Amino acid sequence: MKLKKIKVKGKHFILSLVCLVLGFMIAFSYHLTQIETQNENRDISAKQYEKTLVLRNQLIAQEETNRKLQKELNKKQDKVLKNEKGLAKEAQVFLNLAEDTEKYRMFLGKVKIKGKGVKITLSDGAYDPKEVNINNYLVHEHHVFKVVNELYISGAAAVAINGQRLTSHSYIVCNGPVITVDGVQHPAPFVISAIGDPDVLSSSLNLTGGVKDQLVNDNLVFTLEKENEIMLNPILGS
């Protein structure tokens, strides 16, 4: 079999050459495009990394600032707590002073006071024609003194005679059938009111051989009542 020789004409050669060049240009362009895309991706990745790094550094700086602020806040909170404790102590001191002041006012008879307590009534004894000396069955100042002193010793917070408050400077003087308390005369019977624990006050007065027995032996009439509420007015002019 004989091979036919193909004659390459000039136009075929040119066409082939053009296709070859065009293919090369397309391949080169595609390769160049790939390289540019990779470079752009690298640029974007680098920018993102730089941006992320900046944000990370800012976050670290902010966290450090927060830690410093938290430390300052803790210090200020400790200082506030110390101040509050100091103010609480001062408030307690002032409260104690106020309570003490109120107690002193109460003891001085400058304020009205009420509370539980006892009432003791001392009355003259029944008239005895056989008794030559009338003073032997009358209530005298020393009888009242015995009751008042026993009440104070037993913890009475306030004492009054016929409603008249007593103080540490009070004086009682006997003048015949009456007694004078701080210049004010009071006739018998004498009602001695005392604010305090009723059980303690009554027990102290009723001791065997105590105040009650001594007054009864002096021919006086002694009565004692426990009271749930006794009201004592302040001293006049206090």
Side-chain angles (χ1 to χ4, degrees), residues 113-122 144 146-166 190-206 211-212 222-232:
I113 181 175
K114 68 178 180 178
K116 294 182 178 181
V118 295
K119 283 187 178 180
I120 301 97
T121 303
L122 300 182
V144 177
K146 284 184 179 181
V147 176
V148 171
N149 290 336
E150 187 65 30
L151 290 171
Y152 278 128
I153 291 172
S154 302
V159 178
I161 298 176
N162 288 0
Q164 183 178 344
R165 290 276 293 275
L166 300 181
F190 306 107
V191 179
I192 303 171
S193 305
I195 293 178
D197 189 322
D199 294 331
V200 174
L201 297 178
S202 60
S203 296
S204 64
L205 292 170
N206 287 320
V211 173
K212 177 183 177 181
F222 179 101
T223 59
L224 184 149
E225 297 175 289
K226 295 181 181 179
E227 300 287 341
N228 289 325
E229 182 176 298
I230 294 176
M231 179 79 71
L232 297 181

Side-chain angles (χ1 to χ4, degrees), residues 12-179:
H12 292 159
F13 176 76
I14 292 171
L15 183 59
S16 298
L17 182 61
V18 169
C19 290
L20 180 64
V21 172
L22 183 59
F24 176 77
M25 290 177 66
I26 292 172
F28 180 76
S29 177
Y30 175 77
H31 180 68
L32 184 61
T33 301
Q34 290 291 93
I35 292 174
E36 288 178 354
T37 302
Q38 291 177 357
N39 290 336
E40 288 178 359
N41 291 336
R42 289 194 189 96
D43 291 341
I44 293 173
S45 299
K47 290 179 180 178
Q48 288 179 342
Y49 175 76
E50 290 177 359
K51 185 176 181 180
T52 303
L53 184 61
V54 170
L55 293 174
R56 180 175 177 274
N57 291 335
Q58 289 178 351
L59 179 61
I60 293 173
Q62 188 62 47
E63 288 177 347
E64 183 64 27
T65 302
N66 290 343
R67 281 193 292 270
K68 291 181 180 179
L69 292 175
Q70 186 64 45
K71 289 181 180 179
E72 291 181 6
L73 178 61
N74 292 338
K75 290 181 180 179
K76 291 185 181 297
Q77 286 177 337
D78 291 339
K79 187 175 181 180
V80 170
L81 184 60
K82 290 180 181 179
N83 290 337
E84 288 177 348
K85 290 182 178 179
L87 291 174
K89 290 181 180 178
E90 290 180 3
Q92 186 61 44
V93 170
F94 290 136
L95 179 61
N96 293 338
L97 289 174
E99 290 178 350
D100 291 341
T101 301
E102 190 66 20
K103 288 180 182 178
Y104 295 146
R105 286 175 178 170
M106 179 185 68
F107 291 139
L108 292 173
K110 293 183 176 295
V111 294
K112 182 184 293 186
I113 181 175
K114 68 178 180 178
K116 294 182 178 181
V118 295
K119 283 187 178 180
I120 301 97
T121 303
L122 300 182
S123 304
D124 295 335
Y127 173 70
D128 185 359
K130 297 179 181 180
E131 184 65 50
V132 177
N133 190 351
I134 191 174
N135 289 321
N136 289 338
Y137 54 85
L138 295 181
V139 179
H140 298 286
E141 78 276 10
H142 64 273
H143 296 133
V144 177
F145 269 126
K146 284 184 179 181
V147 176
V148 171
N149 290 336
E150 187 65 30
L151 290 171
Y152 278 128
I153 291 172
S154 302
V159 178
I161 298 176
N162 288 0
Q164 183 178 344
R165 290 276 293 275
L166 300 181
T167 69
S168 58
H169 302 295
S170 293
Y171 63 90
I172 302 174
V173 178
C174 185
N175 186 12
V178 300
I179 63 172

